[in-house]
Amino acid sequence: MAGLHALIFDVDGTLAETEEIHRLAFNAAFEARGLDWHWDPPLYKVLLSVTGGKERIRFYIDRYQPRGGEALDEPAVAQLHADKTRRYGEMVAAGDVCLRPGVEALMCEAKAADLRLAIATTTSLGNVAALLNATLGDEAMGWFDVIGAGEHAERKKPAPDIYRWVLAKLQCDPSQALAIEDSENGLRAARGAGITTLITPSRYTEDDDFSGAARVVPNLADVTLGELEALL
Ligand code: XBP
Ligand code: MG
């Protein structure tokens, strides 16, 4: 069957500039634990090459050997990350974030056209709910036929696992879906699952390599649903 059946959205960087909130939440969690670590924007840009918050903290400890890192075993890293997640949720619920231009309009247009909506992200289901509830309201989780999050895939992006998981749940062939991503890691994940991908670069990913993307646009407000269908 030909044609576009489903739009699969990434979350962080694509729906909103959430990476800045994640960064602040990481720093607040470090400070609360008495660690003198500080991830400034240039460092965070480097650390974003590793997807997943726990994985990112472990990478930072191994690569930069910050003071206090040697004492953090895996449960301690998990606890630190859980505290970061709690803080992130509070910041998002406090209204510290808004959706990027064109995101809500495209979702509404796609729903009106009977397309199925899905999410494929590396962050947790709880963080997805926090963002959607704060920006689109309590009903918004229900707009999506499938929400694939960090807990649903063994390997995080750039592995294609989360996109394959979402496609299987949607019972959708990759040729009938379009992925919307902001990063090279996300692009590689979607392309690895055989999905045509549109890129809207975000603040932290504008220098990424987007070769292999079907199209790159500054924002989703710069593209129509008809143009997206034509990319397949
Ligand atoms: C982006 C990520 C995430 C966030 C932090 O995910 O790599 O790790 O930076 O979230 P995506 P967690 O672009 O796929 O939405 O701390 O919950 O991992
Ligand atoms: Mg992203």
Side-chain angles (χ1 to χ4, degrees), residues 10-16 18-19 120-122 157 180-183 186 202 205:
D10 168 51
V11 173
D12 293 309
T14 298
L15 300 189
T18 42
E19 285 302 354
T121 179
T122 293
K157 298 174 188 176
I180 302 176
E181 276 281 357
D182 72 304
S183 71
S202 59
T205 62

Side-chain angles (χ1 to χ4, degrees), residues 170-191:
L170 284 172
Q171 296 186 294
C172 181
D173 190 85
S175 65
Q176 299 170 328
L178 183 90
I180 302 176
E181 276 281 357
D182 72 304
S183 71
E184 184 178 339
N185 277 329
L187 171 64
R188 286 170 59 194
R191 296 292 298 131

Side-chain angles (χ1 to χ4, degrees), residues 112-142:
D114 273 338
L115 293 189
R116 292 194 293 157
L117 300 185
I119 278 176
T121 179
T122 293
T123 199
S124 63
L125 200 52
N127 283 353
V128 176
L131 180 69
L132 294 182
N133 291 345
T135 54
L136 292 170
D138 293 344
E139 310 285 301
M141 288 289 276

